[in-house]
């Protein structure tokens, strides 16, 4: 159990509406009805605030949760500017039918990013690997970004853009063995930090990845507050979330369903080496 002092406990109580809903300015409150009114934002310690520029790359038929989950925690980086980046500003249709509205294009996205993030998927990710403009954008922004990050098979996109060669990385379980195609070292872990590269495993690991990154960028109490407001305390009703835990029959079906994706990535990697 983690003990917190009275000052931190008071901050958590006052900041609940702020961090639960993002960085929007809250209504004024007064101290005992006397003195000058203050806002909830005014009592946030200076080191809980920053000015990061964050670019989240989105593309057709990607897995929405790969970026929506991390966005929740990254949005708790008070002061950060987060942009969803795509070819144009048309809605991006994700693999499950959810549409995400881009806020920047490859041309209008800031040149220098503090965090570059890309999610994954299956058929959508394979198509994105063959999208020269998207790969060129990742290679360009990734060459200067302070943190180059991915969730799920998004690490294969980073690899195809030349951003993981010589780095340790993870991916969705179906994608981890494919990392070697791009010169990366496969690591079977939920979140992997290697210098300024941060990769998360499949889909739900995006929450772990983003919270771990928030811990690097803000004081521990700020990250703990974000986790508390999200009530992030996983306790899944099933235990088949990894190849080691899943029943053999289920794992066999999943591998067969993803076999075209695996062969497609291998072929794309071979074409890229020619």
């Amino acid at each position: 159990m983690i003990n917190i002092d009275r000052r931190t406990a008071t901050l958590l109580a006052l900041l609940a509406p702020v961090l639960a809903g993002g960085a929007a300015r809250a209504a004024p409150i007064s101290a005992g009805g006397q003195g000058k009114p203050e806002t909830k934002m005014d009592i946030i310690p200076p080191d809980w605030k920053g000015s990061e520029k964050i670019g989240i790359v989105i593309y057709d038929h990607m897995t929405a949760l790969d970026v929506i989950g991390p966005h929740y925690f990254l949005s708790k980086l008070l002061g950060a500017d987060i942009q969803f980046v795509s070819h144009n500003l048309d809605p991006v249709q994700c693999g499950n039918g959810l549409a995400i509205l881009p806020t920047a294009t490859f041309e209008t996205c800031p040149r220098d990013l503090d965090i570059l993030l890309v999610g994954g998927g299956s058929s959508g990710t394979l198509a994105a690997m063959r999208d020269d403009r998207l790969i060129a954008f990742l290679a360009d922004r990734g060459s200067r970004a302070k943190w180059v990050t991915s969730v799920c098979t998004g690490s294969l996109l980073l690899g195809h853009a030349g951003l993981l060669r010589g780095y340790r990385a993870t991916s969705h379980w179906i994608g981890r063995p494919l990392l070697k195609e791009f010169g990366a070292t496969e690591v079977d872990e939920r979140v992997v930090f290697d210098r300024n590269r941060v990769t998360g495993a499949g889909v739900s690991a995006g929450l772990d990845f983003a919270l771990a990154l928030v811990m690097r960028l803000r004081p521990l109490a700020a990250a703990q507050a974000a986790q508390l407001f999200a009530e992030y305390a996983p306790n899944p009703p099933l235990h088949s979330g990894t190849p080691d835990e899943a029943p053999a029959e289920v794992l066999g079906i999943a591998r067969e369903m993803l076999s075209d994706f695996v062969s497609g990535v291998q072929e794309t990697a071979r074409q890229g080496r020619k």
Side-chain angles (χ1 to χ4, degrees), residues 248-272:
E249 180 183 5
V250 173
L251 178 59
I253 293 172
R255 287 192 183 280
E256 180 60 30
M257 291 176 67
L258 293 169
S259 60
D260 288 345
F261 172 75
V262 172
S263 59
V265 171
Q266 292 170 331
E267 176 60 26
T268 301
R270 283 194 293 270
Q271 292 295 326

Side-chain angles (χ1 to χ4, degrees), residues 119-154:
S122 53
S123 61
T125 302
L126 191 56
M129 292 181 72
R130 297 164 178 166
D131 183 337
D132 292 341
R133 283 186 64 206
L134 187 149
I135 295 300
F137 175 83
L138 290 176
D140 176 70
R141 297 308 195 272
S143 69
R144 294 183 301 277
K146 292 181 180 178
W147 295 97
V148 178
T149 73
S150 67
V151 175
C152 197
T153 55

Side-chain angles (χ1 to χ4, degrees), residues 202-217:
V203 192
S204 63
L207 289 166
D208 298 41
F209 140 76
L211 186 56
L213 188 55
V214 170
M215 289 174 61
R216 300 288 184 103
L217 298 173

Side-chain angles (χ1 to χ4, degrees), residues 136-250:
F137 175 83
L138 290 176
D140 176 70
R141 297 308 195 272
S143 69
R144 294 183 301 277
K146 292 181 180 178
W147 295 97
V148 178
T149 73
S150 67
V151 175
C152 197
T153 55
S155 57
L156 301 179
L157 288 169
L158 293 184
H160 194 46
L163 296 170
L164 289 182
R165 184 167 299 278
Y167 287 86
R168 299 167 67 252
T170 190
S171 188
H172 185 278
W173 58 266
I174 199 66
R176 279 197 294 269
L178 299 170
L179 287 167
K180 64 179 180 293
E181 302 281 353
F182 307 102
T185 300
E186 170 191 355
V187 180
D188 185 4
E189 294 179 6
R190 197 155 170 86
V191 179
V192 174
F193 280 78
D194 187 350
R195 289 157 283 177
N196 74 327
R197 272 35 172 190
V198 194
T199 50
V203 192
S204 63
L207 289 166
D208 298 41
F209 140 76
L211 186 56
L213 188 55
V214 170
M215 289 174 61
R216 300 288 184 103
L217 298 173
R218 294 292 188 274
L220 178 60
Q224 289 170 327
Q227 182 180 10
L228 177 60
F229 297 132
E231 200 171 350
Y232 182 50
N235 184 23
L238 296 174
H239 296 281
S240 60
T242 69
D244 292 337
E245 295 178 315
E249 180 183 5
V250 173

